[in-house]
Amino acid sequence: MTTLSHNGKAGSREWIGFTALLLPLLLVSMDVSVLYFAVPYIAQDLEPTSVQQLWIFDIYGFVLAGLLITMGAVGDRIGRRKLLLIGAAAFGAASLLAAYSTSPEMLITARALLGVGGATLMPSTLALIRNMFHDEKQRNTAVAVWTAALSGGVALGPVISGLLLEHFWWGSVLLINVPFMVLLLVLAPILVPEFKNPDPVRFDFLSALLSLGALLPIIYGIKELAADGFDQVPLYYIGAGVLLAVLFVWRQIVKPGSLIDIDLFKRPAFSGSIAVNLLAMFAIVGFAVFLTQYLQLVRGMSTLEAALWSLVPSLGTGGFAPAAAAIARKVNRAFVMAGGFVIAAIGFAVLTQTEVDSPLWIVLVGAACYAGGLVAVIALVTGIVLGVAPPERAGSASALLESGTELGGALGIAILGSVGTAVFRDEIVGTLPTGLPAEAAAAAEETLAGATVVAGQLPGEVGETVLAAARAAFVSGMDTVAFTAAGVMLASAVVAIVVLKSVGAIPAAPPVPADEPEPEAAQPVRVD
């Protein structure tokens, strides 16, 4: 049950229910980065191999990305609130299992289960917003808050992790999920309405397997290219994923509605929004890696100090999404998004001027500009996708948007990371002290992190020279990446106008007739 006013607007119950939906969103986004500080403690306690340590981090994101489309379709069929509750129970149980893991294998398994739970929560929360807020102005306001909470959760993860590890054991960074999931299990049945497709097509397990088989190898291959450079093996993974993606699309065409509504992509507002969202995530995720390394390895900050400073741009971006939604009520949303991309380009242009000893405020202002502009774009795009998608298909539409988010982030890390690495390796050649052992020189020329380790093992001025050369080369690479990102953002502004010009401004709510009295209490309306 839900309480909509006589003019179709959501009441206080919907807004309180929406607040409850922010709980899983914050926790799922935090879990992407919450283990950053815990690595030394996990390594000491569980003694994972280097490969196991990578899987402890990566398995969560891989499973989450691979199951988003499937879980969105499941929610459309069994009910979004029901899937939300199942996901909350699974996420809480997996968090408990992960917190008390006694072996690397157990922790990897638990992180995979967390990914399953996360894949149910993300599309469910967004789809429920579509059903709780029928008025487009209210829905876009809710989406703006949703977007701010999502980006805030990623930024808060390392900070909360660092604070907990100051006082508790490493499992506490995972155990914190449990009470919030219990709270969601109590509040959601009371505050959040149920909604499902009244006439669903039978679930197609082959389509689900094809979607999983397409996304996982593509994202894995892209990440491997970003980590290790060009190699044939990651290309094989990407090629296999693309082939399965083609088969997946073919399956949706010959069996319409089996998992996603392929006709949605015929609507320029939907397909254009997916493309614009991918471009925004390409930049915001792709550059975040460089900003983190700059604060830690160039400025010499501790991980916690770097995490706290990285919150400053996040605090500055909090108002961008609501402001964009307000402007978009009077101005075509395509032009507002183009403006967001231009602001992001300005931020990246500021960052092209970064030097090793630049004042920190320059970096923070540049980061706040690019993040704020892109958060505004993401909020508006999300609102368009939810508005275009039929209510009964909101789950699968949300999942498609989230899958594009994952793919855009992976592409950003791979492409921008490759640009930065190429410049770093080119700049550092010939700047290292002569006489370094070949193994040490090779490690220093590979990455800034490798050069930092080598510098720490060398005596006095030699180590300082290596570190200075590596920092200068890294900053040069970061400046080039910022310049590249600025160019992509300007191009994206043009793309937004071309593909989304038809969406117009956010429609105004229909006026309430003057002779129609306001009811004493909002009447409940069943939405399922």
Side-chain angles (χ1 to χ4, degrees), residues 56-387:
I56 288 170
F57 276 99
D58 290 342
I59 193 68
Y60 174 78
F62 287 153
V63 174
L64 175 69
L67 289 178
L68 280 170
I69 293 176
T70 297
M71 292 303 178
V74 170
D76 286 340
R77 287 162 172 80
I78 71 170
R80 283 109 191 218
R81 187 180 67 185
K82 181 183 289 186
L83 183 65
L84 178 75
L85 295 174
I86 293 171
F91 201 85
S95 298
L96 196 63
L97 180 66
Y100 290 100
S101 293
T102 56
S103 68
E105 294 82 4
M106 184 176 176
L107 183 54
I108 291 169
T109 301
R111 289 280 289 170
L113 293 174
L114 279 168
V116 175
T120 67
L121 295 171
M122 293 291 281
S124 295
T125 57
L126 202 51
L128 283 166
I129 289 173
R130 172 66 179 88
N131 304 125
M132 293 166 67
F133 299 96
H134 298 281
D135 176 71
E136 192 157 4
K137 178 180 177 181
Q138 287 187 319
R139 185 167 63 244
N140 278 276
T141 300
V143 167
V145 176
W146 185 93
T147 305
L150 180 64
S151 58
V154 176
L156 278 173
V159 177
I160 292 176
S161 174
L163 294 174
L164 286 173
L165 290 170
E166 289 285 326
H167 304 284
F168 305 102
W169 98 113
W170 64 265
S172 63
V173 304
L174 296 159
L175 200 61
I176 193 176
N177 295 334
V178 177
F180 289 103
M181 287 301 162
V182 172
L183 184 61
L184 180 64
L185 289 170
V186 173
L187 294 178
I190 301 171
L191 300 172
V192 178
E194 180 61 288
F195 189 95
K196 60 182 177 181
N197 190 340
D199 187 27
V201 177
R202 184 176 180 181
F203 185 81
D204 184 31
F205 285 96
L206 179 57
S207 292
L209 289 174
L210 287 172
S211 72
L212 181 65
L215 280 171
L216 280 182
I218 289 175
I219 293 177
Y220 177 75
I222 291 171
K223 287 192 173 185
E224 286 297 297
L225 285 175
D228 302 325
F230 181 82
D231 186 67
Q232 287 187 343
V233 175
L235 292 178
Y236 292 149
Y237 280 109
I238 294 172
V242 170
L243 177 60
L244 290 173
V246 172
L247 293 175
F248 172 76
V249 172
W250 174 80
R251 180 75 174 176
Q252 305 314 296
I253 294 173
V254 300
K255 196 171 182 181
S258 53
L259 201 63
I260 65 170
D261 185 358
I262 203 72
D263 288 338
L264 281 173
F265 287 95
K266 296 178 182 178
R267 305 181 184 186
F270 183 84
S271 55
S273 294
I274 297 293
V276 167
N277 181 66
L278 187 148
L279 290 168
M281 294 307 301
F282 171 91
I284 202 168
V285 176
F287 197 82
V289 178
F290 288 90
L291 186 61
T292 301
Q293 289 188 76
Y294 177 80
L295 293 175
Q296 288 186 258
L297 301 180
V298 176
R299 307 288 303 201
M301 295 182 182
S302 67
T303 311
L304 180 57
E305 185 183 4
L308 288 169
W309 275 111
S310 68
L311 277 179
V312 175
S314 298
L315 293 173
T317 63
F320 274 80
I327 296 170
R329 291 168 195 152
K330 299 183 179 297
V331 180
N332 189 315
R333 282 170 284 184
F335 293 110
V336 180
M337 283 185 275
F341 279 124
V342 171
I343 291 173
I346 292 171
F348 284 121
V350 171
L351 289 167
T352 62
Q353 305 305 305
T354 303
E355 297 179 0
V356 173
D357 56 353
S358 292
L360 185 58
W361 67 266
I362 293 178
V363 178
L364 297 178
V365 167
C369 281
Y370 90 72
L374 293 177
V375 164
V377 171
I378 294 166
L380 291 177
V381 159
T382 305
I384 292 172
V385 168
L386 291 183

Side-chain angles (χ1 to χ4, degrees), residues 486-506:
V488 173
M489 293 300 92
L490 292 176
S492 300
V494 176
V495 171
I497 293 173
V498 171
V499 302
L500 293 174
K501 189 175 181 180
S502 62
V503 300
I506 296 173

